[in-house]
Amino acid sequence: MSDKPSVLFVCVHNAGRSQMAAAWLSHLAGDRVEVRSAGSAPADQVNPAAVEAMREAGIDISTEIPKVLTADAVKESDVCVTMGCGDTCPVFPGKRYLDWALDDPAGRGVAAVRPIRDEIRKRVEDLIAEIAPEPTA
C-alpha cells in the first residue's frame, strides 16, 4: 500500500471530465497523489474538444484511453469523485465520495469545453490543498 492519497475520477464515458480532472491532478500534484480515471460506459476515444482544451493549457491527453469503471478501482482509491455517473459507482465503507456537478463536454466545441476545463482545475486545486498540500520547509 502506498502512503500517497489516491483519487479516482469517474464520469459516464471517461472521455472528457474525468480525463481532464485526472490530467490536472497529475500535472498539479505530481507524484504526491495516485491518479485514476474510469467510466461507467467508456467511449472509444477521449473527446477531441477536451484534448484540444487541455492542449491549450499545456497538458497532452491525446494518448489517454477511456477505461471501464471497476469495483477494484474504487477499492484502491481513497477519494472517488463522480461527475454525472450518479449511483453507478460502487460504494465501499471508508472511502470518501465527492460528486462534482459539471457540464458534460460531449458534443461541444472547444470554446464550450474551456469553462468546464477551468472549473475542473479550480476543483482539483482545492482537492490538492486538502489531501496533498505542498510540503513546507
Side-chain angles (χ1 to χ4, degrees):
M1 286 296 283
S2 171
D3 58 350
K4 294 189 277 189
S6 58
V7 178
L8 170 66
F9 294 103
V10 182
C11 67
V12 176
H13 300 297
N14 189 222
R17 295 166 291 187
S18 57
Q19 290 284 354
M20 290 190 287
W24 275 125
L25 184 54
S26 294
H27 179 76
L28 296 170
D31 63 0
R32 296 194 320 269
V33 179
E34 290 181 22
V35 182
R36 298 176 181 86
S37 72
S40 52
D44 294 332
Q45 65 179 17
V46 175
N47 179 330
V51 171
E52 180 57 29
M54 292 303 287
R55 182 177 289 124
E56 290 175 358
I59 300 171
D60 183 7
I61 62 171
S62 64
T63 60
E64 295 299 324
I65 299 168
K67 295 165 277 309
V68 69
L69 175 64
T70 65
D72 285 343
V74 178
K75 282 183 190 176
E76 294 168 6
S77 301
D78 299 310
V79 180
C80 181
V81 180
T82 57
M83 304 172 183
C85 69
D87 55 5
T88 61
C89 189
V91 176
F92 295 98
K95 304 294 176 192
R96 180 171 173 204
Y97 293 87
L98 302 172
D99 185 47
W100 291 355
L102 296 160
D103 290 336
D104 189 345
R108 298 175 185 225
V110 70
V113 174
R114 287 182 191 118
I116 301 167
R117 172 201 66 198
D118 296 344
E119 177 62 23
I120 291 171
R121 179 183 178 139
K122 287 181 208 154
R123 292 179 189 216
V124 166
E125 288 172 338
D126 291 345
L127 183 62
I128 292 168
E130 189 178 323
I131 67 167
E134 283 281 356
T136 54

